[in-house]
Amino acid sequence: MKMREGTFTFNGINSEQFGVYVSSTPARVPPQSVWSVGNPSNRNGSVYRNLGVFTNSQLVLSLWFSNAENNIDNIFDWLLTDDYATFTPWYDDKYTYKVLANSDSSFEVVDSDSSVTTVKLTLTVYPLKYINANLSSRSVTNNSTFTNPTKFKSLPYFEVTPAASGDVTITLNGVVFTFKNPGSKFTIDSEIPRTSIPSKMVGLDFPVFKSGTNTISYTNVSLLTVIDKFVRRAA
């Protein structure tokens, strides 16, 4: 269902629950690429190399709410966080952003009268946004092929149920991930990265879904579910 104009969700809570609205669509500033710069002694000019990563950006929201319905301290507590929070605005509601408002200066009261308070909220924005359609868990059949539709690699989440005792292997695009006799259901989170059974994981690498076609197979697995976490540049 389409979100109401001027609303957003923050950490899973819709702003309408607090009676908080955005007065206008904000400027959308894309993250900047990070480059290394070299100055070789045997040639003119500098040499630039794209490192394939991005800096965080900022998003400034002009918020308003009715004084009769809201307590500014409750709104302050809701929006100021110690870590990244999920954020989906009405103007880009097919995506989930990761944002951070972690200081008093992020939340500035611009104007307040007897009826309405206006606030400027400055959010630090993680450079990639998640496609909402790919944030749900799906089961994966053995020897299957699927497509990452974006130009960016994704860091998926796996839940693995072994079929029997013994080692479990998951092969992704020819790379084998082995878990020594896990015994029961376990998880792999490539984004953190972390597995629930670190002592039984062979090696230090975690699965990555590359852009385009990916192939996956496994042994000694009765059920494999995955959250793809496909991403685009946040803007």
Side-chain angles (χ1 to χ4, degrees):
M1 183 173 64
K2 189 72 174 175
M3 294 178 66
R4 180 178 175 183
E5 184 173 353
T7 64
F8 59 94
T9 62
F10 190 92
N11 257 355
I13 300 175
N14 192 290
S15 63
E16 287 189 280
Q17 293 187 38
F18 284 92
V20 175
Y21 301 91
V22 184
S23 60
S24 60
T25 303
R28 299 169 68 175
V29 180
Q32 301 300 303
S33 297
V34 177
W35 299 77
S36 67
V37 183
N39 295 284
S41 59
N42 61 345
R43 58 171 289 181
N44 293 320
S46 299
V47 176
Y48 292 84
R49 182 168 67 91
N50 191 325
L51 299 181
V53 294
F54 303 94
T55 60
N56 284 346
S57 59
Q58 284 198 328
L59 182 70
V60 180
L61 300 177
S62 179
L63 309 180
W64 68 269
F65 53 87
S66 168
N67 292 335
E69 299 177 1
N70 293 281
N71 182 312
I72 191 170
D73 293 322
N74 291 334
I75 296 171
F76 192 90
D77 290 344
W78 168 48
L79 294 175
L80 294 188
T81 59
D82 296 326
D83 201 351
Y84 282 110
T86 58
F87 171 76
T88 298
W90 85 96
Y91 57 81
D92 201 21
D93 62 359
K94 291 183 172 59
Y95 297 91
T96 293
Y97 294 71
K98 292 202 301 186
V99 300
L100 187 64
N102 62 343
S103 70
D104 292 350
S105 61
S106 302
F107 194 84
E108 177 186 349
V109 177
V110 177
D111 188 31
S112 183
D113 57 29
S114 60
S115 59
V116 173
T117 294
T118 303
V119 170
K120 182 176 77 172
L121 176 66
T122 302
L123 298 175
T124 298
V125 183
Y126 182 75
L128 300 172
K129 60 184 179 182
Y130 300 80
I131 302 174
N132 287 341
N134 300 113
L135 289 178
S136 298
S137 178
R138 65 179 179 89
S139 60
V140 177
T141 57
N142 202 0
N143 299 306
S144 61
T145 300
F146 61 94
T147 301
N148 175 355
T150 81
K151 64 185 290 186
F152 302 103
K153 67 181 181 181
S154 78
L155 303 175
Y157 178 91
F158 289 85
E159 188 172 87
V160 187
T161 303
S165 60
D167 296 352
V168 165
T169 67
I170 299 172
T171 303
L172 177 63
N173 300 321
V175 179
V176 181
F177 302 91
T178 301
F179 297 84
K180 304 297 289 184
N181 195 25
S184 60
K185 183 186 295 184
F186 64 95
T187 60
I188 310 164
D189 192 335
S190 296
E191 189 169 21
I192 295 178
R194 181 177 64 197
T195 176
S196 59
I197 50 169
S199 64
K200 298 186 177 184
M201 180 177 177
V202 177
L204 300 175
D205 294 330
F206 282 77
V208 174
F209 292 166
K210 64 184 178 68
S211 177
T213 302
N214 292 260
T215 58
I216 191 167
S217 60
Y218 46 75
T219 62
N220 193 26
V221 172
S222 65
L223 178 64
L224 174 64
T225 61
V226 62
I227 301 175
D228 297 303
K229 297 187 180 181
F230 296 145
V231 293
R232 296 189 186 278
R233 189 182 306 194

